[in-house]
Amino acid sequence: MNRRQFLNYSAAFAAMTAFSRYSIAAERYYTQPEAGVPEVDIAGARFPEHFLFGTATASYQVEGAWKADGKGESIWDHFAHTQGKIKGGDTGDTACDTYHRYKEDVAIMKQLNQKSCRFSVAWTRIQPTGTGAVNQKGLDFYSRFVDEMLAAGIRPMCTVFHWDLPQALEDQGGWPNRDVYNKFADYSAILAKSLGDRVETWAIFNEPFIFTSLGYGTGVHAPGKKDINLFLKAAHTVNLAQGEAFRAMKAASPRAKVGTAFSMSPGAPATDSAADKAAAERYHAINNIFFLDTALKGKYPDPFEGNQRPFETMGLRPDDEKIMRAPLDWIGINYYNRHIVADAGQGGEPLTHLTEYMPTVGPITYNGWEVWPRGLYDIVMRISKEYNRPIIEITENGCAYSDAPLPDDANKVPDARRIEFYKGHLAELARAIKDGADVRGYHAWSLLDNFEWAEGYSQRFGMTYVDFRDLKRTVKDSGHWYGRVAASGKLEV
Ligand code: BGC
């Protein structure tokens, strides 16, 4: 099932509300703001002196080399090798070949004045079957990669898990199997111990809500399971794993600064009614903070209107709150779009009884997502206020557009829409900082065009164009622009 088919499916299983951000619509381009799009102060935007401009990538999406140097099979290898799962039959077997071309990629970051690089580690390179002895060659790759960044003056920000679970663990039940949480903690400790002398900033998970729900609830992503109960169980194991990994990593590397990159989409109530406002809060609870409150408060928020059944399905045990609780050092926010939320009485989504949609007031990107910079301000301010001004990193924000090199100048990729996208979002971020949010860094998704999960190579999120025939990299206009922003801290450059 691709993301378009998923939309139909999601009517029946719409509890995974964030997914409508994957809806497909025609690409729309305009240069004049439409009525209803708030103005942003681009010229006046300023960033603090030590603000870190960076980019983000993920192992399966860029590395390729899927069985090099002893690497084991991950659920994404398995899923992509299963016919019909990925658009066009694409796989991440080669992807951008960053495994072999990492020096070139770090050189691009350096050229673009980047100060932070968010990357992820493939668990199957470190422990091919998810447990047991370390595969030294796999570890050595990340060690070289990190050294290359440091030599370029770039902070390595390492994500421990960006969705590529070892297939061997999936064969034992995957994330819905509670036993996985200890295995994950062991793996995260190996990383902290081996790279912790050079890596200080760690994200335990990337978007726990997305990989548990798309992987086990709707089956759009690996491992392709479609069972709401499996989603609930997976979510709980991941919450346990987050707490346990936090402690394991701190023990292995006391100077580690450990957080998680959460997917967050502000959900505004469709009307002023009390019912819609309550629905918007349920939306926030499941989409945005279901894996955050567990860490910071040791307990789940309530997206289920007091219904205890989902928690019973998750298999909560008396001491689990202690295991989940972890005072994250920073909160990562991945922001892509906003949603409008309405109460659905006893209908709508089976767990939360709401309906939601992504508006189309702002411009629409190539993959059908609304461009809404104000949403970044809104979610950053909400998290900042409600969690007492935590340290925040924007761990992802970006857009898909299909711009390619000019036919008569192969070194030029004009992508004005992406520049507009980043201008708007960075201006709203600067405003949030001015209004008191403690945001330390921003990571554009993504450095390179890459393997966009079930969409294969059809969606280009990069600031660097990748020709997937010969893997040649060409920095797009947006990349050059972002490089100037990183150097000056201003947006009109
Ligand atoms: C993920 C990335 C993905 C991006 C665009 C995020 O959900 O973390 O891996 O490529 O959004 O879809």
Side-chain angles (χ1 to χ4, degrees):
M1 178 159 58
N2 62 29
R3 283 178 183 175
R4 183 196 295 270
Q5 291 164 324
F6 162 67
L7 271 188
N8 301 330
Y9 180 70
S10 69
F13 181 57
M16 320 290 85
T17 52
F19 317 154
S20 59
R21 79 182 213 203
Y22 292 124
S23 61
I24 309 293
E27 189 171 5
R28 183 147 60 83
Y29 179 56
Y30 71 84
T31 48
Q32 296 302 316
E34 289 183 359
V37 179
E39 289 212 4
V40 218
D41 179 15
I42 289 165
R46 292 292 179 274
F47 292 86
E49 201 185 327
H50 299 293
F51 191 79
L52 297 171
F53 288 96
T55 53
T57 59
S59 46
Y60 188 73
Q61 295 181 273
V62 298
E63 284 176 4
W66 75 282
K67 53 182 177 180
D69 294 338
K71 178 183 169 298
E73 185 190 39
S74 81
I75 57 171
W76 271 97
D77 295 316
H78 194 84
F79 193 69
H81 292 156
T82 309
Q83 210 189 349
K85 298 295 184 190
I86 312 291
K87 196 178 219 168
D90 292 344
T91 73
D93 290 2
T94 306
C96 306
D97 197 31
T98 290
Y99 190 76
H100 298 110
R101 297 170 197 239
Y102 69 93
K103 287 192 177 176
E104 190 183 344
D105 293 343
V106 173
I108 295 172
M109 295 177 213
K110 189 175 179 191
Q111 180 198 342
L112 302 184
N113 305 309
Q114 300 300 290
K115 288 286 172 282
S116 179
C117 166
R118 177 171 174 243
F119 68 103
S120 82
V121 171
W123 187 344
T124 50
R125 289 198 198 282
I126 310 302
Q127 291 176 299
T129 57
T131 55
V134 170
N135 175 39
Q136 193 58 42
K137 283 188 172 172
L139 202 48
D140 289 348
F141 163 66
Y142 293 106
S143 188
R144 292 193 299 273
F145 195 7
V146 163
D147 285 345
E148 194 73 15
M149 292 177 212
L150 291 172
I154 296 168
R155 172 190 71 166
M157 174 194 261
C158 180
T159 306
V160 178
F161 184 85
H162 198 128
W163 303 0
D164 38 3
L165 185 74
Q167 180 64 33
L169 294 185
E170 183 55 38
D171 294 342
Q172 296 162 33
W175 284 112
N177 176 355
R178 184 181 168 102
D179 295 346
V180 170
Y181 94 81
N182 277 312
K183 294 173 178 149
F184 179 77
D186 290 346
Y187 155 62
S188 58
I190 293 170
L191 287 191
K193 200 165 166 206
S194 359
L195 300 176
D197 56 335
R198 287 154 294 153
V199 176
E200 198 167 303
T201 309
W202 300 86
I204 300 172
F205 285 115
N206 178 69
E207 299 192 346
F209 178 71
I210 298 294
F211 76 79
T212 51
S213 53
L214 268 67
Y216 295 96
T218 69
V220 180
H221 280 183
K225 306 257 169 79
K226 295 178 200 169
D227 179 341
I228 201 165
N229 293 328
L230 289 181
F231 155 66
L232 289 167
K233 287 180 204 292
H236 189 51
T237 309
V238 167
N239 268 313
L240 296 169
Q242 181 171 246
E244 198 70 6
F246 179 88
R247 288 179 291 278
M249 294 176 75
K250 291 277 190 178
S253 175
R255 72 192 186 111
K257 299 273 179 259
V258 185
T260 278
F262 300 97
S263 51
M264 292 202 182
S265 278
T271 71
D272 274 345
S273 75
D276 284 350
K277 285 182 181 163
E281 288 312 296
R282 297 199 296 281
Y283 170 92
H284 181 69
I286 187 119
N287 279 272
N288 298 337
I289 58 168
F290 205 61
F291 298 82
L292 176 61
D293 274 12
T294 43
L296 297 188
K297 300 180 180 167
K299 64 185 174 67
Y300 280 99
D302 180 14
F304 311 129
E305 302 171 282
N307 177 5
Q308 290 307 303
R309 282 271 303 279
F311 292 118
E312 285 159 19
T313 305
M314 290 161 80
L316 261 71
R317 296 185 189 167
D319 278 344
D320 281 359
E321 294 193 346
K322 274 192 222 137
I323 301 173
M324 296 190 297
R325 191 171 204 135
L328 300 178
D329 297 306
W330 55 275
I331 295 174
I333 296 180
N334 290 4
Y335 170 70
Y336 287 92
N337 45 47
R338 63 164 176 161
H339 292 260
I340 305 291
V341 186
D343 180 59
Q346 284 312 298
E349 302 176 350
L351 289 172
T352 51
H353 298 135
L354 57 86
T355 55
E356 55 80 32
Y357 70 95
M358 185 183 64
T360 52
V361 178
I364 303 298
T365 64
Y366 191 63
N367 62 338
W369 294 353
E370 185 202 32
V371 178
W372 197 254
R374 175 98 9 138
L376 181 58
Y377 176 87
D378 291 343
I379 196 68
V380 166
M381 291 310 288
R382 177 163 189 177
I383 296 298
S384 184
K385 281 184 190 140
E386 293 184 359
Y387 296 88
N388 195 20
R389 211 170 166 264
I391 294 174
I392 292 175
E393 297 255 1
I394 305 304
T395 31
E396 281 181 35
N397 177 225
C399 53
Y401 287 112
S402 56
D403 309 290
L406 291 175
D408 56 355
D409 184 355
N411 291 320
K412 182 150 176 73
V413 185
D415 59 338
R417 292 167 295 185
R418 182 172 283 102
I419 294 176
E420 287 308 304
F421 176 98
Y422 282 116
K423 266 188 190 167
H425 285 80
L426 283 164
E428 288 288 6
L429 187 62
R431 192 160 72 90
I433 295 169
K434 199 168 86 193
D435 289 352
D438 187 3
V439 185
R440 305 285 175 92
Y442 175 91
H443 300 80
W445 184 271
S446 181
L447 175 70
L448 304 168
D449 293 336
N450 60 45
F451 178 85
E452 176 53 22
W453 306 115
E455 295 298 315
Y457 296 99
S458 68
Q459 301 298 334
R460 293 181 174 273
F461 277 87
M463 288 184 159
T464 303
Y465 182 88
V466 177
D467 184 333
F468 290 104
R469 295 167 302 186
D470 60 8
L471 301 178
K472 181 174 183 288
R473 281 100 160 114
T474 307
V475 176
K476 301 178 188 177
D477 281 1
S478 60
H480 293 299
W481 172 85
Y482 190 52
R484 296 193 294 275
V485 170
S488 69
K490 295 181 192 161
L491 301 180
E492 285 196 324
V493 287

